[in-house]
Amino acid sequence: MLSAASKIDDDIVLVLLDDYVLPNPKKQPVDTEKLIEDACLLSRNDKNAACVRFNIFDKSCADLSVAHMGFYKVKRDFKYLCSLQPSLWNLSHLKSILKSGENAWEAELNGSKRMRKMGVDAYISSEETLIHINALKFGKYMRDKFVDYADVNNINIPPDIDVFVKEKKSEKKSEKKIMNLNSYRKRKK
């Protein structure tokens, strides 16, 4: 990623790694005007803004006392201050945060420490600007939500893949398990 970033000649970049999928644009179009507004936050309004994240709004990571243009500042002590989930990044901050030889998970954890040292901030959008689906868990399991999406949209999935399933048992509890693809599909019927 650092190598690719060094070849970009823009100030703002959209980070969308290969295990994320944008839904069918005819059913859920990307709000490009909102993306441009989000980019303005990074380029003009806050020089300490490193990124604007588009993962589903999570109050546990947001400092609700610091709101700006429909965004909340991510808490400085949040474990994943740096996130490579779909986001807009100030390219110079991203280059300073990434280090050669780190995988995505290491880059997030170590990058969070570097962001704190640099004194730069991450923001999270309070709206679903860039709807996305994460296909993989731990780099090797297909997520159940992606399997459901793939089945509806006729996307072929290798039959020997295992599925990471997260079932909500109550408001505060969920059960996580790994299932084979065929077992998961049979259970869904």
Side-chain angles (χ1 to χ4, degrees), residues 144-174:
D144 55 347
K145 288 180 183 179
F146 179 75
V147 172
D148 297 344
Y149 172 80
D151 288 348
V152 167
N153 290 284
N154 297 317
I155 298 171
N156 291 325
I157 297 175
D160 59 340
I161 197 145
D162 289 327
V163 180
F164 178 84
V165 180
K166 184 175 179 181
E167 293 178 328
K168 198 170 190 173
K169 296 295 181 184
S170 69
E171 280 298 313
K172 295 183 179 181
K173 280 191 156 189
S174 62

Side-chain angles (χ1 to χ4, degrees), residues 77-156:
D77 62 348
F78 186 64
K79 183 177 181 178
Y80 292 99
L81 181 61
C82 176
S83 173
L84 297 178
Q85 292 193 17
S87 49
L88 284 172
W89 275 87
N90 172 304
L91 185 59
S92 73
H93 288 319
L94 181 62
K95 286 179 182 178
S96 297
I97 291 161
L98 294 175
K99 295 296 174 213
S100 182
E102 291 181 341
N103 65 34
W105 297 280
E106 293 166 335
E108 287 183 333
L109 290 172
N110 298 331
S112 294
K113 294 172 190 171
R114 289 189 280 271
M115 283 180 71
R116 288 184 198 96
K117 269 188 176 175
M118 293 167 56
V120 295
D121 298 311
Y123 286 85
I124 186 167
S125 179
S126 60
E127 302 172 20
E128 284 192 288
T129 304
L130 187 66
I131 297 168
H132 57 278
I133 300 164
N134 184 216
L136 298 176
K137 179 75 174 177
F138 306 124
K140 62 181 181 176
Y141 303 114
M142 192 70 59
R143 289 181 183 265
D144 55 347
K145 288 180 183 179
F146 179 75
V147 172
D148 297 344
Y149 172 80
D151 288 348
V152 167
N153 290 284
N154 297 317
I155 298 171
N156 291 325

